[in-house]
């Protein structure tokens, strides 16, 4: 039986037994009709808001998936990519505080619609550099692609005859679960879209793909990073349309106005008679609202529980934002996976685990009716267990790739100290190779060389997109067997144990993501319960502002700066400035990436403990004050009763002193 049928039955029952003096059937019918219209508008609002959450999360998730693609395309270091990622949140710094404060008093749907339009235009602008700059240039050995030929990389490069590059033109609670779930689905589609675009060549539609001689597995490959931004921008623009057709507020049904069971969220969405509205239905003035801004802010930060939770969440989101931003890059560099596969894994495995964790946390809170103090303990417990599991990832790393002159010597011995790293050796000294080039060649000995020239290769043959080098003097020196002196374009695969380590990493990563996200709903409940009802909108705005500005902006920046310190081989741009990193030290990368995440998580745990103790102290003090008030009330009541009894006894004619003692 649907909801409308139940309402009709209830309406019929009410009208059939209508006592004298009660509203007529017509009044009840109009009230039900008003409620039905209100519910319809509320569903439209929730559907539109869910679509906005999806569009925003789609853009954010896709941005995370294109970090490595942007880094290669524009030849920039991770620190600068972190600035680009962090700048995605700068717009929140400018408007979110005032929108959260004034938006509760103004036309909310139109404000949301305006924000969607700005977000859509901004997302489209991210893709614009692709259409105003030259096509992507990558290093390759020959402009020919469909012929068999013989080249001499060593001698040709010494004579400067090999081209360096070739240009290719190439209802309430149920409703709030609804919105949060869609916000989680958005990043899933964002990373899946990133995986799809990473398989497409960056200049697709502008070049003949038959002339592209690299594949998605090549370290120089750049996917169509710009395509996803066009899609996400269009989705954001479409999400803005419904809000221009919605009213300023939804009228609250009469049947629910006097009900004490009306939910807090419905009051928040449907502005009936809130504390924000001025008496007699007058419109709030901007100056009056502005005068209340600073007192409201002072009141908010004067709440120690809110302030501690804000600090704990900010530190934890620093850990999570930095980890998520560079997770695709970590998977690529640590386990030798392609960018497309890294995004696919995150979109299909990690983010669904986060969604399941958030959903499970909400189910636990609802089923067991956990109190605010219990929510704080669940929030703390999920963080402690999650970061303890995260520690095991330190043991699930792969060793460095064997790269001659960087991680191993040209004779194949390792390790190589920082002072011993040199790309030149006796085996390639006569070739006069370029030290700045990064055209990796995998020798038959399992060692990667920075270029065919540095490998000392004398000849090469190409058939289609397959290029093989022969008579490589440096490969022959380190070969275990005599005569194995050939090589192929591309980096050598990591040791055989690395795929197994990658599988273990995925399992632990999924469990960790699920565990950490279990505390999402309990933490959100704790945030809402520790502030006054009239400050909820403002408090949520300040909370979002702090997370975006103090975590979303700086975390990718300093994560990127520290990750750059683990670079072994830098690329160089045409102007001579430093470009993107070609090769990382796997051990250093792992310790920096995981260590920084765990360190920030540990700080957030200590702050969460402070939240728990503060909440416990407040609960104990309130309980004591409640008991004292209750006991005082009981004593005063008993005294009043005794006084009344005494006076009654005194009024009785048969009463005399000592009667009770004689009885």
């Amino acid at each position: 039986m649907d909801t409308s049928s139940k309402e009709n039955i209830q309406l019929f029952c009410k009208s059939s037994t209508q006592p004298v003096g009660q509203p007529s059937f017509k009044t009840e019918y109009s009230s039900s009709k008003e409620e039905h219209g209100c519910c319809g508008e509320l569903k439209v609002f929730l559907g539109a808001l869910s679509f906005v959450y999806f569009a925003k999360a789609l853009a954010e998730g896709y941005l995370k998936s294109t970090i490595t693609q942007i880094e290669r395309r524009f030849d920039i270091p991770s620190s600068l990519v972190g600035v680009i990622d962090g700048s995605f949140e700068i717009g929140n710094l400018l408007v979110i505080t005032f929108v959260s404060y004034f938006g509760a008093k103004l036309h909310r749907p139109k404000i949301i619609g305006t924000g969607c339009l700005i977000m859509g235009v901004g997302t489209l602008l991210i893709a614009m550099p692709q259409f105003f700059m030259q096509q992507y240039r990558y290093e390759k050995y020959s402009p020919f692609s469909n012929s068999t030929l013989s080249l001499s990389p060593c001698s040709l490069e010494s004579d400067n005859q090999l081209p360096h590059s070739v240009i290719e033109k190439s209802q309430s609670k149920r409703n709030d679960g609804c919105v949060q779930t869609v916000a989680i689905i958005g990043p899933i589609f964002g990373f899946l879209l990133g995986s799809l675009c990473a398989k497409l060549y960056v200049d697709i539609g502008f070049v003949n793909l038959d002339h592209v001689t690299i594949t998605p597995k090549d370290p120089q490959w750049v996917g169509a990073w710009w395509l996803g931004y066009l899609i996400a921008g269009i989705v954001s623009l479409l999400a803005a349309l419904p809000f221009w057709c919605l009213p300023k507020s939804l009228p609250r049904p009469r049947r629910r106005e006097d009900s004490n069971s009306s939910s807090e969220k419905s009051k928040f969405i449907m502005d009936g008679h809130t504390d924000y509205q001025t008496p007699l239905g007058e419109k709030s003035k901007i100056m009056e609202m502005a005068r209340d801004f600073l007192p409201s802010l002072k009141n908010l930060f004067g709440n120690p529980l809110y302030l501690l939770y804000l600090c704990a969440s900010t530190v934890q989101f620093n850990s999570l934002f930095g980890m998520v931003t560079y997770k695709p890059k970590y998977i690529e560099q640590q386990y030798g996976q392609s960018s497309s596969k890294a995004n696919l894994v995150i979109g299909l495995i990690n983010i669904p685990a986060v969604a399941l964790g958030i959903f499970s946390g909400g189910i636990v809170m609802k089923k067991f009716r956990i109190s605010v103090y219990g929510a704080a303990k669940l929030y703390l417990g999920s963080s402690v267990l999650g970061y303890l599991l995260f520690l095991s990832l330190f043991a699930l790393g792969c060793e460095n790739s064997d790269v001659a002159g960087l991680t191993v010597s040209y004779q194949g011995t390792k390790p190589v100290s920082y002072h011993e790293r040199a790309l030149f050796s006796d085996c390639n000294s006569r070739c006069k190779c370029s030290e700045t080039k990064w055209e990796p060649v995998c020798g038959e000995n399992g060692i990667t060389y920075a270029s065919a020239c540095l490998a000392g290769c004398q000849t090469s043959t190409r058939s289609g997109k397959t290029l093989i080098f022969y008579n490589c003097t440096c490969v022959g020196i380190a070969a275990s067997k005599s005569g194995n002196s050939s090589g192929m374009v591309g980096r050598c695969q990591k040791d055989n144990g690395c795929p197994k380590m990658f599988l273990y990493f995925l399992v632990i990563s999924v469990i960790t993501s699920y565990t950490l996200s279990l505390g999402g709903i309990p933490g959100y409940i704790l945030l809402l319960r520790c502030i006054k009802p009239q400050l909820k909108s403002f408090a949520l705005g300040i909370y979002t502002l702090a997370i975006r500005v103090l975590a979303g902006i700086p975390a990718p920046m300093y994560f990127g700066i520290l990750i750059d310190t683990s670079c072994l081989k830098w690329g160089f741009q045409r102007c001579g400035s430093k470009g993107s990193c070609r090769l990382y030290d796997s051990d250093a990368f792992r310790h920096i990436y995981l260590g920084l995440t765990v360190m920030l998580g540990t700080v957030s745990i200590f702050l969460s403990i402070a939240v728990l103790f503060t909440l416990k102290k407040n609960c104990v003090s309130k309980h004591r004050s409640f008991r004292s008030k209750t006991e005082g009330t009981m004593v005063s009541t008993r005294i009043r009763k005794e006084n009344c009894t005494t006076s009654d006894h005194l009024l009785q004619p048969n009463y005399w002193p000592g009667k009770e003692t004689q009885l």
Side-chain angles (χ1 to χ4, degrees):
M1 183 180 297
D2 58 4
T3 306
S4 59
S5 300
K6 292 182 180 179
E7 292 178 353
N8 291 333
I9 292 175
Q10 293 175 356
L11 179 62
F12 175 77
C13 294
K14 290 181 180 179
S15 61
S16 60
T17 58
Q18 180 182 350
V20 179
Q22 295 295 324
S24 62
F25 178 83
K26 183 178 181 180
T27 305
E28 293 289 341
Y29 178 78
S30 61
S31 176
S32 177
K33 185 176 181 180
E34 179 184 357
E35 178 184 356
H36 181 72
C38 174
C39 292
E41 291 179 341
L42 179 60
K43 290 180 180 179
V44 172
F45 175 79
L46 289 173
L49 188 63
S50 300
F51 192 47
V52 170
Y53 268 69
F54 172 81
K56 185 175 184 296
L58 174 69
E60 290 182 346
Y62 185 76
L63 176 66
K64 303 294 184 184
S65 70
T66 57
I67 290 297
T68 56
Q69 305 293 316
I70 294 176
E71 184 176 334
R72 293 174 188 170
R73 176 64 179 93
F74 299 98
D75 205 11
I76 54 180
S78 297
S79 57
L80 186 54
V81 173
V83 174
I84 296 174
D85 183 85
S87 64
F88 191 80
E89 307 292 348
I90 291 180
N92 293 306
L93 174 64
L94 303 176
V95 299
I96 195 170
T97 303
F98 299 100
V99 168
S100 64
Y101 183 72
F102 294 108
K105 308 168 188 285
L106 302 176
H107 200 298
R108 293 180 186 175
K110 289 187 177 180
I111 292 177
I112 297 175
T114 304
C116 292
L117 291 177
I118 297 174
M119 182 174 65
V121 173
T123 307
L124 293 175
L125 288 176
I126 299 178
M128 290 300 104
Q130 173 66 22
F131 303 96
F132 295 102
M133 60 186 304
Q134 297 177 343
Q135 272 93 34
Y136 174 58
R137 299 181 178 184
Y138 59 91
E139 304 289 343
K140 62 181 185 177
Y141 291 95
S142 173
F144 305 101
S145 60
N146 294 319
S147 61
T148 301
L149 56 121
S150 178
L151 295 173
S152 178
C154 178
S155 60
L156 281 178
E157 190 147 359
S158 63
D159 296 334
N160 294 326
Q161 295 179 4
L162 185 67
H164 288 197
S165 63
V166 177
I167 303 177
E168 296 284 352
K169 189 172 180 180
S170 43
Q171 299 300 352
S172 65
K173 292 184 179 178
R174 181 175 56 190
N175 296 333
D176 181 61
C178 178
V179 175
Q180 297 296 331
T181 302
V182 173
I184 294 297
I185 294 176
I188 296 178
F189 282 88
F191 276 96
L192 293 180
L193 181 62
S195 175
L196 175 63
C197 293
K199 293 181 180 179
L200 305 176
Y201 186 64
V202 60
D203 292 322
I204 185 173
F206 300 95
V207 299
N208 187 353
L209 297 181
D210 294 334
H211 295 165
V212 179
T213 60
I214 56 176
T215 63
K217 294 183 179 180
D218 195 283
Q220 299 183 83
W221 175 270
V222 176
W225 60 273
W226 52 273
L227 183 59
Y229 288 111
L230 296 180
I231 297 175
I234 294 174
V235 172
S236 298
L237 293 177
L238 293 177
L241 298 179
F243 290 98
W244 298 97
C245 305
L246 291 173
K248 179 180 179 180
S249 61
L250 302 180
R252 190 183 303 170
R254 294 180 182 178
R255 187 171 61 87
R256 295 183 180 179
E257 281 184 350
D258 300 330
S259 176
N260 294 327
S261 61
S262 60
S263 63
E264 183 177 336
K265 183 66 70 173
S266 63
K267 293 179 182 179
F268 181 78
I269 295 178
M270 297 182 294
D271 284 333
H273 301 284
T274 62
D275 294 335
Y276 289 127
Q277 292 183 342
T278 56
L280 303 177
E282 296 179 357
K283 295 183 179 180
S284 300
K285 296 181 180 180
I286 300 297
M287 294 302 297
E288 293 179 359
M289 293 187 293
R291 279 196 295 267
D292 294 335
F293 181 80
L294 290 179
S296 300
L297 189 64
K298 183 179 179 180
N299 193 352
L300 201 59
F301 284 105
N303 187 339
L305 191 60
Y306 176 80
L307 190 60
L308 283 172
Y309 179 78
L310 183 65
C311 294
S313 299
T314 301
V315 176
Q316 186 178 35
F317 275 102
N318 268 272
S319 171
L320 298 179
F321 281 156
M323 178 189 66
V324 173
T325 299
Y326 294 99
K327 194 166 191 176
K329 185 182 186 71
Y330 180 78
I331 293 176
E332 293 179 42
Q333 297 294 330
Q334 189 69 213
Y335 302 102
Q337 303 296 324
S338 65
S339 178
S340 176
K341 187 173 182 179
N343 292 328
L344 183 66
V345 165
I346 295 174
L348 287 182
I349 299 179
N350 278 97
I351 298 181
V354 173
L356 182 61
I358 294 176
F359 182 77
S360 301
I363 292 295
V364 170
M365 289 289 296
K366 182 178 180 181
K367 183 175 182 181
F368 297 99
R369 297 181 179 179
I370 298 177
S371 63
V372 179
Y373 185 68
K377 292 193 292 186
L378 183 58
Y379 175 76
L380 175 61
S382 65
S383 298
V384 172
L385 182 58
Y387 284 108
L388 285 177
L389 290 172
F390 200 85
L391 286 173
S392 61
L393 296 180
F394 281 95
L396 301 179
C398 296
E399 295 183 357
N400 283 316
S401 300
D402 293 338
V403 182
L406 296 176
T407 60
V408 298
S409 66
Y410 273 88
Q411 288 73 31
T413 59
K414 58 182 180 180
V416 177
S417 64
Y418 178 80
H419 299 286
E420 294 176 344
R421 292 172 186 168
L423 292 176
F424 296 106
S425 179
D426 293 337
C427 60
N428 58 26
S429 59
R430 68 181 183 85
C431 297
K432 299 180 182 179
C433 306
S434 172
E435 187 179 9
T436 61
K437 278 195 172 184
W438 179 251
E439 302 166 348
V441 172
C442 177
E444 286 194 11
N445 54 5
I447 298 177
T448 301
Y449 298 86
S451 66
C453 180
L454 289 171
C457 299
Q458 305 296 322
T459 59
S460 65
T461 59
R462 176 190 294 276
S463 178
K465 294 186 178 181
T466 303
L467 183 61
I468 303 177
F469 299 94
Y470 298 99
N471 300 325
C472 304
T473 56
C474 295
V475 177
I477 292 176
S480 57
K481 298 180 181 179
S482 59
N484 293 335
S485 59
S486 61
M488 296 183 63
V489 172
R491 290 169 56 177
C492 297
Q493 295 294 326
K494 294 201 173 185
D495 59 333
N496 295 330
C498 198
K500 186 181 294 185
M501 286 293 183
F502 179 56
L503 180 61
Y504 295 154
F505 169 81
L506 291 181
V507 174
I508 299 298
S509 179
V510 167
I511 298 176
T512 302
S513 300
Y514 174 81
T515 306
L516 288 174
S517 60
L518 272 175
I521 295 298
Y524 189 75
I525 296 299
L526 176 62
L527 173 65
L528 291 178
R529 296 289 179 85
C530 70
I531 51 180
K532 297 179 181 179
Q534 62 268 24
L535 293 176
K536 288 188 185 298
S537 176
F538 188 42
L540 290 174
I542 293 295
Y543 175 80
T544 306
L545 174 68
I547 296 301
R548 299 292 185 179
V549 174
L550 301 180
I553 294 177
M557 296 182 186
Y558 62 77
F559 262 81
I561 292 173
L562 293 176
I563 287 174
D564 280 343
T565 61
S566 64
C567 184
L568 295 176
K569 177 68 171 67
W570 285 101
F572 291 90
Q573 299 178 354
R574 289 185 172 184
C575 58
S577 59
K578 185 171 65 174
S580 61
C581 183
R582 310 305 195 200
L583 180 68
Y584 288 92
D585 185 338
S586 296
D587 294 332
F589 192 171
R590 180 171 69 254
H591 289 96
I592 291 173
Y593 174 77
L594 300 179
L596 193 56
T597 302
V598 172
M599 183 185 69
L600 292 170
T602 304
V603 175
S604 70
I605 288 174
F606 282 108
L607 290 172
S608 300
I609 293 175
V611 170
L612 189 64
F613 277 106
T614 304
L615 184 61
K616 184 178 181 180
K617 183 179 178 181
N618 290 344
C619 290
V620 171
S621 62
K622 287 183 180 179
H623 180 66
R624 288 178 179 175
S625 63
F626 176 76
R627 287 186 60 185
S628 63
K629 289 181 180 179
T630 304
E631 291 175 356
T633 304
M634 293 176 64
V635 170
S636 62
T637 303
R638 180 168 54 83
I639 292 175
R640 285 197 301 270
K641 286 183 177 179
E642 290 178 354
N643 292 336
C644 292
T645 304
T646 303
S647 61
D648 290 342
H649 288 168
L650 292 175
L651 292 174
Q652 292 177 2
N654 296 328
Y655 178 81
W656 65 90
K659 181 176 181 179
E660 285 86 353
T661 58
Q662 291 182 1
L663 293 174

